[in-house]
Amino acid sequence: MGSPPPHRLLLLLAVAAVLPRSAAAAEGVIRLPRGRACAAPTDPAAYDRPVIGIVSHPGDGAGGRVSNGTAASYIAASYVKFVESAGARVVPLIYNEPEERLLEKLSLVNGVLFTGGSVKSGPYFETIKKVFQYVLDKNDAGIPFPLFAQCLGFELVSMIVSKDNNILESFSATNQASTLQFPNYSSLEGSVFERFDPDLIKKLSTSCLVMQNHKYGISPKTLRENVALSSFFKILTTSPDENGEVYVSTVQANKYPITCTQWHPEKAIFEFGKQMIPHSEEAVQVTQNFANYFISQARKSQNRPPADKVLDNLIYNYSPTFIGKKSKSFDVVYIFS
Ligand SMILES: *[C@@H]1O[C@H](CO)[C@@H](O)[C@H](O)[C@H]1NC(C)=O
Ligand SMILES: *[C@@H]1O[C@H](CO)[C@@H](O)[C@H](O)[C@H]1NC(C)=O
């Protein structure tokens, strides 16, 4: 085979030239050319240890096959990993815990996530309302506090903002991969889609890269004609259901760091139970962009909770359960009972 080809030799020389002599001696310390160790934070205003609260949903996530306890609630691990994949940790906001506990946990987080699910009334809806009001209050007080609401979460937020529990319409979009259509490119400014490569935006509008799993939604017409909703949200994307009926699939609040999707970004990377879930590299990129965007908003939070209290409340205090053999809905869930 002889000597390496010239371009590889050049590369080897270049690597040798930039490697500091003391690299082997100073193990574990990254040396800059001038010999100073790296100081970690570059932007002192950004908080690099963000924590996200996720509200648990009634049930066990497996139709009672794992737990029939009436007080049981769950968070699919895919939402937790979605948050973790962007450099944040999770505190579960267990929906049926006493209000003092909810408020205590909210004081420990830098943003919240509302998951998908099915329950639209009762104590669960009341907890969602309280947390949503907390999000508005924080931001109104000048404290950045993002919310990312998905599927049921988006539906509940639509009901709360419109003050109309019958605002939702029926759509046929269960277990369906769909495109995202962009009705107004100007509205994407300042939104999550700003960090998308133009090629990926194009692919989103032509290939089915996102996972839908819902029976309800809101049409662009209903959103636009509802004064409360249309002044609160701008429409970023729409999607067609199985019958070609168009619903709003992504919105962003005009004055708040609130993004809602009718679709499920977390599933492309972390759920394999349903055949329709896209897992392509592009679908994964879409998910990663959403996770990175959401956590970038949480890094703007000024909340610096005591580390020991955070540790006491992290979801790591609970063990996830593999339910993928019993249920097609989720592979892994955290169950609270
Ligand atoms: C929960 O109840 C259902 C219906 O009665 C039953 O099929 C299931 O086995 C129960 N699950 C557990 C974990 O006991
Ligand atoms: C498109 O979005 C921009 C920015 O949000 C907005 O000012 C404009 O009115 C929108 N156009 C239409 C036709 O909705």
Side-chain angles (χ1 to χ4, degrees), residues 60 63-68:
D60 66 350
R65 292 181 202 91
V66 179
S67 167
N68 275 328

Side-chain angles (χ1 to χ4, degrees), residues 184-187 224 234:
N184 179 359
Y185 284 107
S186 312
S187 71
R224 281 194 208 100
K234 61 179 173 183

Side-chain angles (χ1 to χ4, degrees), residues 263-277:
W263 50 283
H264 286 274
E266 79 291 350
K267 289 193 194 292
I269 312 191
F270 300 117
E271 297 288 2
F272 286 81
K274 289 195 163 80
Q275 286 306 314
M276 297 309 292
I277 300 172

Side-chain angles (χ1 to χ4, degrees), residues 307-322:
D308 57 335
K309 281 208 171 160
V310 170
L311 288 182
D312 283 347
N313 287 281
L314 285 178
I315 200 155
Y316 302 143
N317 290 288
Y318 302 86
S319 297
T321 306
F322 174 45

